[in-house]
Amino acid sequence: MGNPIKKAATKTAKKAYEHAPESVKDKLKDKAKEKAVEKVEETVQSKAKKASGKLEEAKEKNADKVHGKADNAEDKVQDVLLSVREKLKKAKEAGEAFQEKMSSSDDRGGKGAKNLKGVSSIKSSQSIKSSTDIKSSENIKSSKDIKTITS
């Protein structure tokens, strides 16, 4: 259990305290208070140092994790940007090919951007035929009106 020397010293100290005068007892109480305060301060400081050390370790671990994840995120962003760049390049090439096709079809006489009708070529309401302009049955040609080739 306890150390026999420590037990003997404790008993001797108790007996000496009992036989000591009041002034000495008061000094001993003051000294005991000071020692108790010092002991508590030391304990609190050591616990604070341990907690500070643990916090420092946790901070370093978190910093390592953050840097690792930042590197991974940077790699992923680079990959995405490269793929977007390639897709934009393909879209640009397709647009250029389409423009080339459109301009070459203009040269061949096909319908291109130059041959498309504009707003000015749309008929107005005045140029639409009315019911009076429709041919009647009298004006329709028959088989007699067809010219034949005669020699």
Side-chain angles (χ1 to χ4, degrees):
M1 288 199 188
N3 192 347
I5 297 172
K6 191 175 184 180
K7 284 183 181 179
T10 305
K11 282 184 182 181
T12 306
K14 284 182 182 179
K15 285 191 179 188
Y17 181 75
E18 290 172 6
H19 296 297
E22 281 301 316
S23 63
V24 174
K25 285 183 181 179
D26 290 339
K27 286 182 182 178
L28 283 175
K29 284 181 185 177
D30 291 340
K31 209 48 150 166
K33 284 181 188 177
E34 288 176 17
K35 290 291 182 184
V37 168
E38 286 177 14
K39 191 71 171 170
V40 169
E41 284 178 356
E42 288 176 8
T43 305
V44 170
Q45 285 178 351
S46 69
K47 286 183 180 180
K49 285 181 182 177
K50 285 181 184 177
S52 175
K54 287 181 182 178
L55 285 174
E56 188 66 31
E57 288 177 20
K59 181 180 170 184
E60 289 175 6
K61 285 181 183 178
N62 287 339
D64 291 342
K65 286 181 183 177
V66 167
H67 288 298
K69 292 194 179 204
D71 289 341
N72 288 343
E74 182 181 7
D75 292 342
K76 287 180 182 178
V77 168
Q78 286 291 338
D79 291 342
V80 169
L81 288 175
L82 287 174
S83 66
V84 167
R85 183 180 186 185
E86 290 175 12
K87 288 178 182 177
L88 286 174
K89 185 178 179 181
K90 288 179 183 176
K92 180 183 174 189
E93 290 172 356
E96 288 173 350
F98 179 73
Q99 278 184 330
E100 182 65 33
K101 200 177 212 182
M102 289 301 291
S103 65
S104 66
S105 68
D106 286 347
D107 297 341
R108 289 184 301 206
K111 284 198 172 187
K114 294 176 184 175
N115 297 333
L116 294 176
K117 291 185 177 180
V119 175
S120 60
S121 61
I122 296 174
K123 289 185 176 181
S124 67
S125 61
Q126 294 169 349
S127 62
I128 297 175
K129 290 184 178 180
S130 67
S131 61
T132 58
D133 296 331
I134 299 174
K135 291 183 178 179
S136 66
S137 61
E138 298 166 2
N139 297 338
I140 298 176
K141 294 182 179 180
S142 66
S143 60
K144 295 177 192 173
D145 298 328
I146 299 174
K147 293 182 182 178
T148 58
I149 301 176
T150 56
S151 27

